[in-house]
């Protein structure tokens, strides 16, 4: 096992990967031990599935997401998806 590996460390490295920053040696170790690329792939697939269900473009910004989400009810979102 990897006793020094933490969820915070893993998600910090994931965030750094998303921002396309260079990883330090310590972060490279976390990346490898924590299987961060696998975690990123799973998150990306889940995000894409949610966006597809709600009919949102995958290029939707965080601001656009929260604006659309907060201004509609679950029933409105389901109706929009159902067509």
């Amino acid at each position: 096992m990897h006793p020094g590996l933490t969820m915070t460390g893993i998600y910090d490295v994931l965030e750094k990967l998303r921002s396309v920053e260079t990883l330090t040696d310590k972060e490279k170790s976390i990346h490898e031990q924590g299987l961060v690329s696998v975690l990123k792939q799973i998150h990306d697939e889940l995000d894409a599935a949610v966006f597809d269900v709600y009919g949102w473009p995958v290029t939707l910004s965080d601001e656009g997401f929260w604006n659309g989400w907060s201004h509609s009810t679950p029933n409105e979102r389901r109706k929009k998806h159902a067509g």
Side-chain angles (χ1 to χ4, degrees), residues 24-40:
T24 65
D25 288 341
K26 181 179 179 181
E27 290 166 337
K28 288 176 185 176
S29 178
I30 292 169
H31 178 268
E32 184 178 317
Q33 294 174 359
L35 303 173
V36 178
S37 288
V38 174
L39 180 65
K40 181 183 179 302

Side-chain angles (χ1 to χ4, degrees), residues 11-45:
Y11 276 91
D12 286 348
V13 170
L14 176 62
E15 190 60 33
K16 203 162 182 184
L17 281 179
R18 290 190 187 282
S19 66
V20 195
E21 293 181 48
T22 303
L23 300 178
T24 65
D25 288 341
K26 181 179 179 181
E27 290 166 337
K28 288 176 185 176
S29 178
I30 292 169
H31 178 268
E32 184 178 317
Q33 294 174 359
L35 303 173
V36 178
S37 288
V38 174
L39 180 65
K40 181 183 179 302
Q41 180 181 348
I42 292 168
H43 273 287
D44 290 347
E45 290 173 4

Side-chain angles (χ1 to χ4, degrees), residues 60-79:
L60 185 65
S61 68
D62 286 348
E63 181 181 335
F65 168 81
W66 289 112
N67 187 39
W69 184 263
S70 64
H71 289 95
S72 63
T73 65
N75 284 337
E76 290 171 333
R77 292 189 291 267
R78 277 193 291 276
K79 286 179 187 176

